[in-house]
Amino acid sequence: MRYSAVTRVRARRSLFLWLLVSLAVARCNAVTSYTISLANPEQHLVEVQILLPEGTAQRELQLPVWNALYQVRDFAQYVNWVRAKDRAGHALAVRELDKSRWQITGAAGGAVVEYQIFADSPGPFGAQFNSHHAFFNLAQVLMYPVDARNGPMVVRFSRVPDTWHVATPLTALPEDNFSAESYDRLVDSPVEIGDFKESDFEEGGGHYRIIVDAESGDYDMEAIPAMLRKIAVAATSWMDDRPFDRYMFIYHFPRGPAGGGMEHSYSTAIAVSAEVLSRAPEVLTSVTAHEFFHLWNVKRIRPQALEPVDYTRENYTRALWFSEGCTSTAADIIQLRGGLLDERHFEQQLASGIGELERRPAHLTQSAEESSVDAWLEGDAYYRRPERSISYYNKGELLGIMLDLAVREASQGQASLREVFQWMNQNYAKKGRFFPDSDGVRESAEAVSHADLGWFFAKYVAGTEEIPWNDFLRGVGLRLAKGKNTRADAGFVASRNFDGPMAVAAVTAGSEAERAGLQTGDTILEINGKAAGQDSSEEMARLTAGDTITVKVRGRRGAERELKWKVGSREEVSYVIKDMENITPEQHARRAAWLKGEAQILQEEHPH
């Protein structure tokens, strides 16, 4: 992207004026001011300037080692250089204390710190700058002054091309400047900069802004607000709460591998590949409902173990099964209430989720709490093997459904998962408190059901006992039936980290894949000519026995090779949810309330 000479002069003049104003503001109000310069899109280089107010002579700056994912990714690996000067322009000493922290000496009168950082990690969990757009999770590009993390912050974006715009939930100031009351609030606000399309709508007193970065022919801009309105109405009515006046949805629909969403207090960033969006638009609905409900569960109803955020090391919690998994449970309820999901598909999803858990041998050895603690290992291919781990998303969602049914049974239908979330919202979020991990969830469930549910948490949350699915489902007149079917088997197990490549976790002994030369640890680059990514599992699911599969891989020593073999088959246990025989009126009534996400006593009070 080229900038004219006039544009460069204006940029330098604007930057000089901003420097003078920011220094004055910083001196008077102890505000930390940032300027993010879109310096070099071709090389994905961003230049950052930090104006530190007056303070101690020695100041320390920290760049987070993790953000957006429960994985240490060491963003300092992308920092090319760091330098500092005082207000008179004299160079100050910069000392690297460790791989992600720097010390500035002679900063008593304030300082100007500058550094260059590479940004080319696509998707909602990254920071990317190129000639097309810029998207930032700001914790991945902005250092913070260790002694002023809780102080006010201002950020400005410079050298933004004339046709580009800035979208972020931060409080807007003139000249593409934005403010936040603290670093935590600043970096909880993603930024999209580019020639994006946007829409908005009002609903229930809230203003919703929609930002879309995609090719215009790859999505329907009219359909997205209609879907979002249903989600917003269903979620806020279910929680009987709207903890925001303004909320922003940032969507990316790239032509290529993509997937996932990242929650924030007043926004979410979501990526779905254009191909998946056209083939299965319900994927967008599901991930949106999940991320939107996070504005309560995780962002406000928050485990104590995650506070305060430690940007220098892992933050461990035993409650991700609830914070992530039960958010998926709530997302299902929101879609059911909004008419975006019907009973048949919900039951199919439930059976599929049970099958996913039951087919992982690790469900007998790793508890939901242990899976939560081990989230930091998800970047490792071996950890993702079926015999090593379960998913706190998968089991957590199932536990949310079973806890809902257990609360209904214990309270004779007078309480549900809705009351659990509302109790936690009232007694934790709205009182500025954080809940004590799984003990806090148990406390809440027992408070609304007026029953001892310790057995549930001991057996199925902290423990690894087999879940007696039919004991829970009986109350709503359903049962889980098992069968056997023959399915295609490519001869290997692969998994993909959120922002990393797909890797071979295991190769079946004696399979065609093994004979073709596929090895555990190989990085999968392509499957049948398509780049490996978030939707590759769907590509694999469409294979049938006898098909030829072509896989391009990179070995551990870096050599690439293309392998071909015939897909085999294997027998697998299948699961399906069915009606029980002779369903009673009470079971019918409880199921109807269950599918609305409401206690039975609320059916007439909250018709939908």
Side-chain angles (χ1 to χ4, degrees), residues 174-216:
E175 298 295 323
D176 283 340
N177 302 318
F178 301 88
S179 67
E181 62 268 22
S182 66
Y183 181 81
D184 288 5
R185 174 73 179 89
L186 179 70
V187 300
D188 189 31
S189 306
V191 181
E192 174 70 24
I193 307 175
D195 186 21
F196 50 76
K197 299 295 185 292
E198 67 176 294
S199 181
D200 64 352
F201 65 93
E202 304 280 339
E203 179 58 52
H207 180 82
Y208 299 83
R209 187 179 177 194
I210 306 161
I211 306 298
V212 180
D213 177 72
E215 296 293 333
S216 59

Side-chain angles (χ1 to χ4, degrees), residues 5 11 16 73 77 89 98-99 132 168 201 326 339 450 461 474 479 517 531 557 562:
F16 177 71
R73 292 186 282 166
Q77 66 183 296
D98 61 36
K99 61 185 177 181
H132 170 70
T168 175
F201 65 93
C326 290
H450 306 289
V461 176
R474 186 177 299 113
R479 64 184 179 90
R557 296 184 178 181
E562 186 172 279

Side-chain angles (χ1 to χ4, degrees), residues 385-448:
R385 292 174 66 154
E387 67 272 22
R388 172 62 181 90
S389 67
I390 62 171
S391 165
Y392 53 81
Y393 281 93
N394 168 231
K395 188 171 183 180
E397 179 176 8
L398 296 172
L399 286 173
I401 294 171
M402 299 306 125
L403 180 61
D404 188 4
L405 293 170
V407 167
R408 290 172 188 277
E409 185 69 25
S411 65
Q412 290 78 50
Q414 296 183 55
S416 69
L417 187 65
R418 179 190 197 184
E419 282 65 43
V420 174
F421 272 118
Q422 288 189 357
W423 193 94
M424 297 182 80
N425 198 37
Q426 291 293 331
N427 290 278
Y428 288 111
K430 292 190 175 183
K431 293 181 179 179
R433 300 168 56 217
F434 305 110
F435 70 89
D437 284 29
S438 296
D439 288 342
V441 183
R442 175 184 172 181
E443 173 198 21
S444 308
E446 293 182 342
V448 301

Side-chain angles (χ1 to χ4, degrees), residues 268-290:
T268 182
I270 292 171
V272 176
S273 76
E275 182 183 0
V276 170
L277 184 63
S278 65
R279 186 178 68 246
E282 66 275 9
V283 171
L284 179 63
T285 302
S286 176
V287 69
T288 298
H290 179 101

Side-chain angles (χ1 to χ4, degrees), residues 138-149:
L138 291 174
Q140 298 175 27
V141 296
L142 296 184
M143 302 177 186
Y144 64 89
V146 175
D147 62 345
R149 170 178 160 180

